[in-house]
Amino acid sequence: MTGTVAGPARTLALDPFTGTGGKTLSGFHLRYRVIGDERAARENGWILVFHALTGSADVEQWWGPLIGPGRALDTTRHAIVAANLLGSCYGSTGPREWRETSATPFPDLTPGDLALSHFQLLEQLGVERVALATGGSLGGMVALEWGRLSPVPVDRLVVFAAPAATSAQAIAWNAAQRMAIEADPEGGLAAARAIAMITYRSAGEFTARFGRESSRTPGRFDVDHYLRRQGDKLVARFHAESYLSLMRAMDLHDVGELSGAARETAQRVRDVVGVGVDTDILYPAGEVRQWVEAYRSAGAAARYHEIASLYGHDAFLIEWDQVERVLRGE
């Protein structure tokens, strides 16, 4: 993020709003950040970024190589707006905070609800046009819903590694993680992360990176050591309740009938790009291609792009050159 000064975190108390299921959602606040030139953004459009499951509003921590003057997320021409999604644990309202002030359980939120919660944020910032709305995985689901719901025009919508609806297979992976957490919230979160990492990467990467070696811990395969280390790292920085809440949102993801979703999106978005990853086992590339083709058939200006990678689902967080080209529209 060379040459860019990131703004401080800010908090916006949200007025009650109507969720995608028609229920009034209240008692929430968003923690968000603005990175870049707000004056330039008023002329050239803003960039709206949605984070993945355990990400945050600190976009430079996970997409840093893409941010800065002259880069795909050009902070001299635009300002990046990113909020911590509701339900997460980095400053926006999540289950732990909710429990301290409410006698009712934290509500189930859909990716559509997470998109709707940004409406007041854009109004607060005076955003009248979004040059780019983007995100990957859960963030891609929220971005896809943003295309249907945006209160302002969007030049380009770029959705990385996200289907139109979560498959039974993906829900099953989440169910296994949920069972681990329900059995033991701390140790279970570590186990859940290990399960998730298997879906985030590819068999080819595991073979090339670890093989059957046991060089890290005596008597333990290196891939076992890696998964345990990933689990420990997540436990140190994330809350199990937030993990469950956001996994539930991913399970509930469904934009509905595709031609209708396409028409809604076409009214708001000039260009739509769906990006699959050829080795993604969590949300296979074919699922992304399917909704792109359905959107295009229904009249939306949609096109498909595929990232070639050894790294599986996580390629949108690793393959900087390919992600850069996609975001630039090359």
Side-chain angles (χ1 to χ4, degrees):
M1 206 178 70
T2 306
T4 297
V5 177
R10 313 175 196 175
T11 300
L12 175 66
L14 299 178
D15 293 331
F17 64 98
T18 303
T20 53
K23 183 179 179 180
T24 298
L25 299 172
S26 60
F28 296 101
H29 62 261
L30 278 181
R31 190 73 164 167
Y32 71 97
R33 296 178 65 225
V34 176
I35 306 170
D37 191 328
E38 295 188 35
R39 288 181 298 178
R42 294 187 180 97
E43 179 178 350
N44 301 314
W46 297 68
I47 295 174
L48 182 58
V49 177
F50 304 104
H51 67 76
L53 174 60
T54 63
S56 71
D58 298 329
V59 184
E60 68 276 20
Q61 291 187 3
W62 44 274
W63 258 7
L66 306 173
I67 301 170
R71 302 200 173 179
L73 306 182
D74 190 336
T75 49
T76 60
R77 291 180 47 80
H78 309 279
I80 301 167
V81 184
N84 186 226
L85 296 175
L86 294 179
S88 190
C89 56
Y90 290 123
S92 293
T93 305
R96 277 195 176 185
E97 182 182 24
W98 184 270
R99 189 170 60 243
E100 294 173 358
T101 58
S102 176
T104 61
F106 190 78
D108 284 344
L109 299 172
T110 68
D113 296 327
L114 300 180
L116 287 169
S117 70
H118 286 66
F119 281 23
Q120 294 174 47
L121 174 56
L122 266 63
E123 183 179 8
Q124 170 82 7
L125 294 171
V127 175
E128 297 181 349
R129 172 175 148 245
V130 171
L132 171 67
T134 186
S137 196
L138 170 58
M141 296 174 181
V142 180
L144 196 54
E145 289 285 7
W146 185 264
R148 297 177 51 238
L149 302 168
S150 177
V152 299
V154 178
D155 294 349
R156 297 181 70 238
L157 179 73
V158 181
V159 178
F160 290 93
T166 301
S167 70
Q169 179 78 11
I171 293 171
W173 283 113
N174 283 352
Q177 296 177 64
R178 188 173 294 108
M179 291 166 65
I181 293 172
E182 289 169 352
D184 175 2
E186 183 170 310
L189 179 59
R193 182 63 165 183
I195 294 168
M197 290 305 300
I198 297 170
T199 73
Y200 295 162
R201 301 304 181 98
S202 74
E205 185 202 358
F206 278 3
T207 298
R209 185 173 177 183
F210 304 112
R212 294 180 54 81
E213 297 297 318
S214 299
S215 61
R216 302 285 188 88
T217 304
R220 179 174 291 164
F221 287 111
D222 286 353
V223 68
D224 183 344
H225 174 90
Y226 168 78
L227 292 174
R228 291 173 185 272
R229 177 61 181 148
Q230 293 301 312
D232 291 343
K233 287 166 63 177
L234 186 69
V235 169
R237 70 176 179 88
F238 212 75
H239 297 165
E241 300 98 319
S242 287
Y243 197 86
L244 290 171
S245 176
L246 294 178
M247 274 204 308
R248 177 62 173 166
M250 297 172 82
D251 287 348
L252 294 173
H253 173 58
D254 185 354
V255 299
E257 195 266 323
L258 290 180
S259 61
R263 288 191 293 270
E264 291 174 327
T265 301
Q267 293 173 3
R268 296 168 169 83
V269 182
R270 189 184 67 199
D271 294 308
V272 180
V273 182
V275 186
V277 180
D278 64 348
T279 52
D280 193 341
I281 64 172
L282 180 59
Y283 304 123
E287 294 184 2
V288 181
R289 188 184 300 109
Q290 180 183 34
W291 71 254
V292 170
E293 292 175 353
Y295 271 39
R296 186 166 55 241
S297 296
R303 60 187 177 88
Y304 175 75
H305 186 95
E306 190 162 295
I307 292 175
S309 176
L310 184 66
Y311 299 110
H313 180 71
D314 269 356
F316 73 94
L317 298 170
I318 299 171
E319 298 283 4
W320 303 121
D321 290 345
Q322 294 188 66
V323 173
E324 174 102 14
R325 288 196 295 272
V326 171
L327 290 174
R328 287 185 182 278
E330 298 176 356

